[in-house]
Amino acid sequence: MGKTDNGIGPVSQPAYRLPERGPRPDLPLYERLIDNGIAAADSQGTIVDHITARRLAIWLAARPQEQDFARGLVRFVQTGAVSHELKTQLRRHARSGTFPDQAEAARLLTYCINRGTELGPIGENFAAACDQLDRADAMLARLHDRARHGRAVPEQAWPETDGARITALARRDPETQTVILVLDAATADTAMFAIAAHADEREAHVREVERFGQDLPAGSYGRRNRQAIAAREARVASRLRAVEHAYRMANERDAAPSPPDAPAFHPPEHVPDREIELE
């Protein structure tokens, strides 16, 4: 994608900034992350995902824009909501050859159109969750750069002399009560195995407690106590299974083969008039 250029024009809306806590990607790093997201979408012949679309909006909002356009971009960055004004401005930028951000606007416009009528906010914590992913990707990018340039990464070594090195980094954000973990593949597989085994134990305990509680008198303290224990164990097991599921989905996405002759996806230069009429 094109490099950031401040250009000429009034800045009527302050650029969106990520929270100060944790490493904050700068615009050149955002450009790199956006390029990665676009390449992943093109390899599968689809549009960019929510994360890449938000990064495109952040990149666009960091440039001098008209007030309505800037407001729509910032609202999307904060909530994921796509306003009619945002689509109108993106269409303007995408169809005109006078805007230096034409390619980025066209890509984001294609994403917005693909959402159809589901243009409202994306979840309650959309911005906070995306900020955490941005920080995690920034950490991974910096680790990759250090490894590529032959600089040592702060990690321990396996006891075996020929074993792979361990990467285990963590960062906690007290404001959002979230934690970022960066693990090498072998360590992640080991951790997921332990998580799945612990989830099995918790679920077995739930079944055992529920079976025992059924023999106790209805409404008795013992039965209520067993029900409370089972509910607590089930909540813990659900959290463990959620981590296991997220990790499995990430692996399946990476392993999914792309069609060998699939053409690269390119946003159309002209959006059909029918889409405008539907609005």
Side-chain angles (χ1 to χ4, degrees), residues 21-37:
R21 295 181 181 273
R24 185 179 65 204
D26 52 18
L27 285 179
L29 182 52
Y30 264 111
E31 291 168 356
R32 177 176 166 185
L33 297 178
I34 290 169
D35 286 342
N36 292 341

Side-chain angles (χ1 to χ4, degrees), residues 49-168:
D49 56 19
H50 295 317
I51 304 299
T52 304
R54 183 177 184 265
R55 290 168 179 169
L56 278 165
I58 290 175
W59 186 88
L60 288 166
R63 303 171 63 90
Q65 306 290 3
E66 296 179 2
Q67 184 175 5
D68 290 341
F69 190 22
R71 186 183 300 113
L73 288 168
V74 171
R75 183 180 178 225
F76 174 75
V77 167
Q78 293 173 336
T79 67
V82 177
S83 65
H84 177 77
E85 181 62 30
L86 175 60
K87 292 178 72 174
T88 300
Q89 293 294 333
L90 285 172
R91 192 174 294 111
R92 251 183 89 232
H93 283 239
R95 292 181 177 176
S96 172
T98 61
F99 293 99
D101 53 19
Q102 179 184 17
E104 292 76 19
R107 184 73 67 162
L108 186 55
L109 175 63
T110 304
Y111 159 87
C112 293
I113 292 173
N114 191 74
R115 284 181 55 175
T117 59
E118 299 178 358
L119 302 176
I122 303 176
E124 184 178 352
N125 299 314
F126 174 69
C130 290
D131 287 346
Q132 289 294 322
L133 289 171
D134 288 347
R135 293 182 186 127
D137 284 347
M139 292 172 65
L140 288 171
R142 293 183 180 110
L143 281 174
H144 177 75
D145 288 343
R146 295 179 69 172
R148 186 177 59 186
H149 292 95
R151 288 177 296 192
V153 179
E155 52 192 28
Q156 297 173 316
W158 285 101
E160 307 94 297
T161 57
D162 59 346
R165 297 178 67 84
I166 300 174
T167 298

Side-chain angles (χ1 to χ4, degrees), residues 195-205 207 237 240-241 244:
I195 286 174
H198 192 46
D200 289 340
E201 293 178 0
R202 294 279 186 164
E203 290 166 349
H205 191 208
R207 294 191 293 269
L240 295 171
R241 291 300 185 194
E244 180 191 15

